[in-house]
Amino acid sequence: MSSAIAITCQGISKRFALVDGGSAWRLAFGASKDVPVYQALHDISFTVRKGQFVGVLGRNGAGKSTLLRVVGGVYAADEGRVAVNGAMSAIYELGLVGNPELTGRAYADRLLTVHGFSRRERAEMIADIHDFSELGDRFEDPVLTYSAGMTARLFFATATAGSYDVYLLDEILSVGDQHFQAKCWRRLRDRISSGASGVLVTHDWSAIVRMCETAYVLDKGKVTFGGPAERAARLYLYGEDARETHHAGVAKFLSRPQTPIVATAGEDLDITVDVLVETAAEVGCTFVIERLQPGFGWETALMSRGVTPIGSHPGEYQLAIKVPKLPLEPGDYQVSLHLVMPDHEVPGRRIILDGWSWLNGDGLSLDIVGDAIPGAALPLHWRVGATEAIA
């Protein structure tokens, strides 16, 4: 496995025997061929690069938790191969060493022992777990007496007390109050900034968008989509209606800029694209540059203040976008570019005619290179404009 890859899954399939009074004896005597089975996972493949988290979305019973347990080695795959590069920590829905009669302290000590920490290391880490989980005196009580939120605090604090290369997270970020969730995000951001990788399994699409660049949607144990996290979230929420609806027959882009668009921080950014206005209408353009900050979500870096007019008469136009002395630090960004016209039936509303955006998974990738800019002097002047009709 390449040193740049943290997790590799190839062709993973997993089945469970459906055991009842009539089939238990078959399993006991090795006649499992005739026992009915449930196919939980079907031929799933994906990779996780170092320094990145991959998200997995799906309804109840889709196979998300089963997949995470196969990756973590709790279940053995019936077909396929799993490889993990580096030390791993996992948070499953019910915990890893899940004896609910253990106290919070005993649970933490047992899990850290499983991970191979010495007695001295465990003593320091358990003190951190006690403090981070905010369980107070309840840390000495059995886990079975905890509420769901208290259990989540214990599991998360224990699994992230040490610094690992790979984290497997199952639903844990959607449990607990907002105060504790904010603490979780801060700790995860620290781990990500240190180069950690992992898989996040959840129903919480917003957590996927905040943390992951790539995500997969599972349905009945099969991958129905793999790609940009924001596109996966829209498919999970809205199904085949996830894509933006463009109003056809009014205006469209004639070409797509070559991507990735490469620009240098502090130097001019120029983007040119041809537009065809097909019928008389007040056609305009909106332009946004956005960036995914893991642990924070998508942030707007630059955007046009309003709609820039392109033309109202049929013909071809050339749209020119210019950002002098690009005031953004080096990194990977997405450009969203849309043709719009006003909706005269609903004041203030715009009708989308054509465009590209990260929400659809077809945004224009923008790679900014060069040295970081120490600061930006305001006001910043930049413009989006269109030439007169050329046809």
Side-chain angles (χ1 to χ4, degrees), residues 125-140:
M125 295 170 74
I126 288 173
D128 174 74
I129 293 166
H130 185 201
D131 178 67
F132 187 90
S133 65
E134 301 178 358
L135 289 174
D137 294 340
R138 296 300 306 277
F139 195 55
E140 312 300 337

Side-chain angles (χ1 to χ4, degrees), residues 121-314:
E121 290 173 322
R122 294 200 306 272
E124 295 177 355
M125 295 170 74
I126 288 173
D128 174 74
I129 293 166
H130 185 201
D131 178 67
F132 187 90
S133 65
E134 301 178 358
L135 289 174
D137 294 340
R138 296 300 306 277
F139 195 55
E140 312 300 337
D141 293 340
V143 174
L144 62 82
T145 67
Y146 290 2
S147 67
M150 294 169 64
T151 305
R153 290 170 184 246
L154 175 64
F155 289 172
F156 186 91
T158 305
T160 59
S163 294
Y164 301 89
D165 301 306
V166 175
Y167 292 89
L168 306 179
L169 308 177
D170 189 355
E171 296 289 0
I172 202 72
L173 294 176
S174 60
V175 181
D177 56 33
Q178 290 185 342
H179 163 71
F180 184 70
Q181 287 185 26
K183 289 183 65 174
C184 292
W185 281 114
R186 285 195 297 271
R187 176 164 282 192
L188 282 176
R189 286 196 291 268
D190 290 341
R191 300 296 185 260
I192 294 171
S193 65
S194 300
S197 313
V199 178
L200 173 61
V201 163
T202 183
H203 293 95
D204 183 3
W205 63 269
S206 63
I208 295 288
V209 173
R210 287 178 67 182
M211 196 168 176
C212 308
E213 291 185 30
T214 302
Y216 295 84
V217 179
L218 288 188
D219 183 35
K220 298 178 181 178
K222 298 180 180 179
V223 174
T224 59
F225 174 82
E230 57 279 358
R231 175 69 175 152
R234 286 173 64 88
L235 282 168
Y236 171 68
L237 291 171
Y238 306 115
E240 293 303 318
D241 296 328
R243 193 173 183 85
E244 288 177 341
T245 301
H246 295 162
H247 188 84
V250 178
K252 63 182 180 181
F253 289 113
L254 291 176
S255 60
R256 177 185 171 93
Q258 185 175 354
T259 55
I261 301 167
V262 179
T264 302
E267 298 183 7
D268 294 354
L269 167 66
D270 292 287
I271 302 174
T272 302
V273 59
D274 293 331
V275 175
L276 173 64
V277 176
E278 300 173 86
T279 60
E282 301 170 46
V283 178
C285 170
T286 60
F287 170 76
V288 184
I289 298 178
E290 295 164 290
R291 184 183 190 184
L292 175 64
Q293 297 279 33
F296 292 91
W298 282 89
E299 297 180 347
T300 299
L302 283 176
M303 68 181 297
S304 51
R305 284 188 172 184
V307 177
T308 300
I310 291 179
S312 57
H313 301 290

